[in-house]
Amino acid sequence: VFLLLGILIYVSAVAFRLLLDATSIGELRFQTVTQAMATLLLDCALSGTRGGPLMREAYAEHPIYSVLVFCFAMLANVTMMGVLAGLLVQTIKKIAEVEEDEKRFIKNLKTMDEFWNHIKCMDEDHDGFITHDEFVNLLSDRKTLKLLRKMDVDPEILISLSDFMFVEHDGRINQIDFNKWVLDLRSTQKGTLKDHYVTRKFMADKLSFVLQGSGEDPKLPVSSDMPGRECMFDEKAGNRPA
């Protein structure tokens, strides 16, 4: 929008510079394109008078000049109002989104505490951890499904990822890890670039672990067209190039 206002001022400045050439107002306020832009910006777009004095000066030369200045003042002020209205709307929208996220976060924490209390009631060995078997039994309870829906969590996703999560945590999960896992699977949770990097790091670590277990070098292989490859092999073989 600021670019549009700048283009409008520039084009209008060129037009007024040519139209008001050899006139008293032209020599006073529109002698150059730069001076014309400053006049239109300060006396019309940003002025509290909205170009009133400039219109009177233009009317003294010819009524049509006054009409043209009035048209520019209308367009410039409408553009400025659009900028301010857009900024105000975006600010209010951002504040509303932040407040909504905070309310949802507080609500989910309370629901999560209620959910964990429900888990402890169904904990068979009362050790403060939940195992995979206890988790499966937990999902068969209606209250559990109701609490998950209250947090916008799909039970099917929990079931599909449960094997992986419990293997990663040695067969049992404590309250902190379980809460984080469940809250991360909310349908309203937005993915970020940080999540992408965490996923890449996890995949790299797992790939390195698999390669080490198979006895292979976990480092990426060197491409055959990389410079210096023959030199490295010659040095390993004891044959240094001349």
Side-chain angles (χ1 to χ4, degrees):
V1 178
F2 287 106
L3 179 62
L4 178 62
L5 180 61
I7 294 174
L8 176 63
I9 292 176
Y10 176 75
V11 173
S12 301
V14 174
F16 281 113
R17 171 68 184 84
L18 297 175
L19 288 173
L20 299 176
D21 191 21
T23 62
S24 61
I25 187 175
E27 294 178 356
L28 181 63
R29 295 180 177 272
F30 299 91
Q31 191 172 6
T32 63
V33 175
T34 305
Q35 185 183 17
M37 291 180 65
T39 300
L40 295 176
L41 178 64
L42 299 177
D43 294 341
C44 290
L46 301 180
S47 175
T49 60
R50 299 294 185 265
L54 188 62
M55 292 179 199
R56 293 188 180 93
E57 294 180 21
Y59 186 82
E61 293 291 337
H62 196 283
I64 191 64
Y65 297 153
S66 178
V67 173
L68 293 176
V69 174
F70 172 76
C71 292
F72 170 79
M74 288 291 294
L75 290 175
N77 283 282
V78 168
T79 304
M80 289 299 297
M81 289 176 61
V83 172
L84 295 176
L87 292 175
L88 181 61
V89 169
Q90 289 297 324
T91 302
I92 294 176
K93 180 181 178 181
K94 189 64 178 179
I95 293 175
E97 289 178 353
V98 171
E99 291 180 350
E100 184 66 24
D101 290 340
E102 289 180 354
K103 292 180 181 178
R104 187 183 298 112
F105 180 75
I106 295 174
K107 177 183 176 183
N108 287 332
L109 287 180
K110 292 181 179 179
T111 306
M112 201 66 220
D113 290 338
E114 183 181 355
F115 188 33
W116 185 256
N117 292 331
H118 176 62
I119 292 175
K120 290 195 297 184
C121 294
M122 301 187 65
D123 188 5
E124 297 177 355
D125 49 9
H126 303 285
D127 59 350
F129 290 85
I130 179 172
T131 62
H132 186 267
D133 293 336
E134 293 173 346
F135 177 75
V136 174
N137 295 332
L138 182 68
L139 291 180
S140 62
D141 187 70
R142 288 188 176 182
K143 184 177 180 180
T144 302
L145 301 179
K146 182 179 179 180
L147 292 172
L148 290 175
R149 294 192 189 98
K150 190 175 180 180
M151 292 184 292
D152 297 326
V153 177
D154 189 357
E156 294 183 1
I157 297 179
L158 284 177
I159 295 175
S160 62
L161 297 177
S162 61
D163 294 337
F164 169 76
M165 289 300 299
F166 280 96
V167 169
E168 286 296 309
H169 291 82
D170 298 327
R172 62 179 192 170
I173 305 178
N174 58 22
Q175 180 181 0
I176 297 176
D177 293 333
F178 186 78
N179 290 355
K180 185 177 183 302
W181 175 44
V182 173
L183 292 178
D184 285 343
L185 294 180
R186 291 173 294 165
S187 59
T188 55
Q189 182 76 358
K190 297 180 180 179
T192 61
L193 188 60
K194 176 185 175 183
D195 299 327
H196 174 67
Y197 283 122
V198 170
T199 303
R200 289 180 58 184
K201 182 180 182 300
F202 173 79
M203 294 300 297
D205 292 342
K206 285 299 179 184
L207 181 60
S208 177
F209 177 77
V210 172
L211 292 177
Q212 288 177 355
S214 61
E216 297 182 9
D217 187 1
K219 296 182 179 180
L220 294 178
V222 181
S223 175
S224 59
D225 58 353
M226 288 181 62
R229 177 177 170 84
E230 291 86 2
C231 294
M232 287 189 294
F233 281 120
D234 289 340
E235 291 178 359
K236 289 182 179 179
N239 300 322
R240 296 182 180 272

